Amino acid sequence: MTAGTGARPVSFARSLLRTKPVDRIVAEGGHGEGGELKRTMSLLQLTLFSVGATLGTGIFVVLGEAVPKAGPAVVLSFVLAAVTALFSALSYAELAGTIPVSGSSYSYAYATLGELVAWVCGWCLLLEYAVSVSAVAVGWGSYLNEFFDDAAGFTIPVELSAPPGDGGWINLPAVVVVLFATFLLLRGTSESATANTIMVFLKIAVLLFFCAVAFTAFDSGNLSPFAPMGWAGISAAGSKVFFSYIGFDAASTAGEEAKNPRRDLPLAIILSLAIVTAVYVLVGLAAVAAMHWERFSLSGAEASLAQVLDEATGRSWPSMILSLGAVVAIASVVLTVMYGQTRILFAMSRDGLIPDVFQKVSPRRRVPVANTIIVAAFISVLAAAIPLGRLVDATSIGTLFAFALVSVGVIVLRRTRPDLPRSFRTPLYPVTPLLGVAFCVYLMVGLGGVTWLVFTLWSLVGLVAYFLYGRRHSRLAAPSSGRGTA
């Protein structure tokens, strides 16, 4: 399966299946063009990076769209999505401890399933990370307007706070939060991790504040009927809220900047998923118990938690506090997911599959500066111009596909390289990774036809890009070329 590591030409089919040896992937870790990444991140910072990338996305942004689908049973939708994420998280934990590099599931697929599959996985990760950041940035603007309204009685004009298709010209607040995250990322990884730690603690405090206030308006009548649309509604909402679990794998993109990656990456992934699941279920229950589920379709989806507090208390100050906290806290999602996006592109560039500019490291900052600026520009355009709902579904399907590949990768690597040291082993193997694949496929089926069409078109564009550029420039295609070879 390691075709392409010798000098002999290989067939077209074998070139698509060539895998990158694990030892080589690990040996190249941290190295870029012009400099090296710096190992500064502890277990706490890695865990909070994943929490920062995950916590808030679904609760602050997507809950208002999911509740009308499932009613009060949206709590079970969060559990369904969490179980799906758990099976994938266990597979991620094993591969992160075995292959502790920045490429996340892209690098895992390259080591196990071959170059073409790795490319498709990396291409889907571009969809996952870039589009999820854009979607969260859209929600950030909604909470900023909510805060301005409660605090000063004015809002940013809709022309400047909503994208075309949602009644506006451009979502300017979404661009602002992306630029803020870019500023932090360019300062350095340590500075970004410190800022994220502060924002995550603030985010958790704000959500606990929401629960404390919302539970004072607890009405058991709002929970009946519990599942008005039955299991179909729970499943449909589960596909929607899976978006809220995107990001738990963020720690795996920091493999080349972690102090002790083999030990800390698996722990960070599992711990972050446990934290966000507990918070999601608690906040979801508090929300549907305080405001009747049918009211969610009438309030603004992007700022639904603020609407819950308005109706529960009849006062503006609780929602003002929530909105201010969300403005600061959602910025951590943008920061950490943008970080993950740049590190995956860094790994793909180092392999030659995308241009070298993405792997250039600043000798002074020890970060990929050009990479970060390009990503910020792309994300800003998406956030400024595309409505939220389309972003959410497109992100979820790309992520589910990548998660399924990681579960398959665990099975393949167990068979092909049983000798590799593994700091974490997926329990109940092979049942757990197989269930991971099954749950991912199940939730993918629950997404709409338009989402599948977008995903198919995105994949086709990716294949064209691979055959026109990636395959021809792959480091494995020319192992004697020097840089980046074994």
Side-chain angles (χ1 to χ4, degrees), residues 38-62:
K38 187 177 181 180
R39 293 193 179 276
T40 61
M41 298 183 69
S42 65
L43 173 60
L44 175 63
Q45 290 175 318
L46 288 168
T47 302
L48 294 183
F49 240 70
S50 284
V51 174
T54 312
L55 186 58
T57 316
I59 287 297
F60 284 118
V61 179
V62 183

Side-chain angles (χ1 to χ4, degrees), residues 106-482:
Y106 156 75
S107 293
Y108 309 153
Y110 212 164
T112 57
L113 303 174
E115 185 171 284
L116 179 60
V117 176
W119 169 267
V120 173
C121 182
W123 192 251
C124 288
L125 289 174
L126 298 186
L127 188 67
E128 170 191 347
Y129 281 83
V131 179
S132 67
V133 171
S134 303
V136 175
V138 172
W140 185 84
S142 298
Y143 275 98
L144 184 64
N145 256 344
E146 190 78 21
F147 171 73
F148 284 155
D149 188 28
D150 291 334
F154 77 91
T155 60
I156 301 172
V158 66
E159 291 84 2
L160 300 179
S161 61
D166 276 359
W169 298 339
I170 183 174
N171 193 326
L172 192 59
V175 177
V176 171
V177 73
V178 172
L179 294 179
F180 168 73
T182 304
F183 169 76
L184 289 175
L185 290 172
L186 292 178
R187 286 183 59 83
T189 300
S190 179
E191 291 83 354
S192 298
T194 300
N196 175 69
T197 298
I198 295 171
M199 289 189 285
V200 167
F201 280 122
L202 175 60
K203 184 188 309 187
I204 293 175
V206 166
L207 290 174
L208 292 178
F209 166 78
F210 168 83
C211 292
V213 175
F215 275 125
T216 63
F218 187 97
D219 183 355
S220 59
N222 288 337
L223 302 179
S224 181
F226 184 69
M229 270 69 75
W231 179 254
I234 295 172
S235 177
S239 298
K240 177 72 69 174
V241 303
F242 184 79
F243 178 82
S244 62
Y245 289 93
I246 293 171
F248 75 80
D249 58 326
S252 67
T253 66
E256 294 170 29
E257 290 160 284
K259 293 179 180 178
N260 190 349
R262 292 190 183 276
R263 183 199 69 182
D264 292 346
L265 291 182
L267 286 173
I269 291 170
I270 301 300
L271 286 173
S272 63
L273 182 60
I275 292 170
V276 298
T277 299
V279 173
Y280 281 160
V281 171
L282 183 64
V283 174
L285 178 61
V288 294
M291 186 171 80
H292 194 272
W293 67 273
E294 291 179 333
R295 296 283 301 160
F296 281 81
S297 61
L298 303 177
S299 61
E302 292 89 348
S304 57
L305 293 192
Q307 296 294 331
V308 170
L309 292 186
D310 280 343
E311 293 210 4
T313 64
R315 301 175 181 177
S316 62
W317 68 265
S319 62
M320 182 176 68
I321 293 176
L322 178 78
S323 299
L324 177 60
V327 165
V328 177
I330 291 180
S332 72
V333 179
V334 177
L335 172 67
T336 50
V337 177
M338 276 186 64
Y339 168 88
Q341 172 76 92
T342 60
R343 274 29 178 199
I344 291 170
L345 289 171
F346 176 84
M348 295 178 72
S349 177
R350 188 170 55 201
D351 291 334
L353 300 184
I354 60 176
D356 284 347
V357 66
F358 290 98
Q359 66 156 324
K360 291 182 178 179
V361 176
S362 167
R364 185 167 67 93
R365 294 291 185 186
R366 308 283 289 273
V367 296
V369 173
N371 181 343
T372 303
I373 293 173
I374 293 170
V375 168
F378 178 68
I379 289 172
S380 295
V381 172
L382 286 181
I386 301 179
L388 171 68
R390 297 176 186 177
L391 291 175
V392 170
D393 287 347
T395 303
S396 294
I397 195 168
T399 305
L400 286 164
F401 180 76
F403 284 3
L405 290 182
V406 170
S407 295
V408 173
V410 168
I411 297 173
V412 172
L413 199 62
R414 285 277 191 106
R415 293 178 62 87
T416 58
R417 291 299 305 275
D419 57 306
L420 287 175
R422 290 169 170 83
S423 58
F424 177 87
R425 286 180 173 268
T426 302
L428 302 178
Y429 174 86
V431 175
T432 299
L434 289 174
L435 286 175
V437 175
F439 272 78
C440 286
V441 171
Y442 178 74
L443 289 185
M444 288 176 73
V445 171
L447 295 170
V450 174
T451 303
W452 274 95
L453 177 61
V454 170
F455 176 68
T456 302
L457 292 175
W458 177 261
S459 299
L460 290 175
V461 171
L463 289 175
V464 171
Y466 171 74
F467 286 110
L468 290 180
Y469 184 92
R471 181 174 176 272
R472 297 168 59 189
H473 292 82
S474 169
R475 299 277 190 265
L476 290 187
S480 61
S481 61

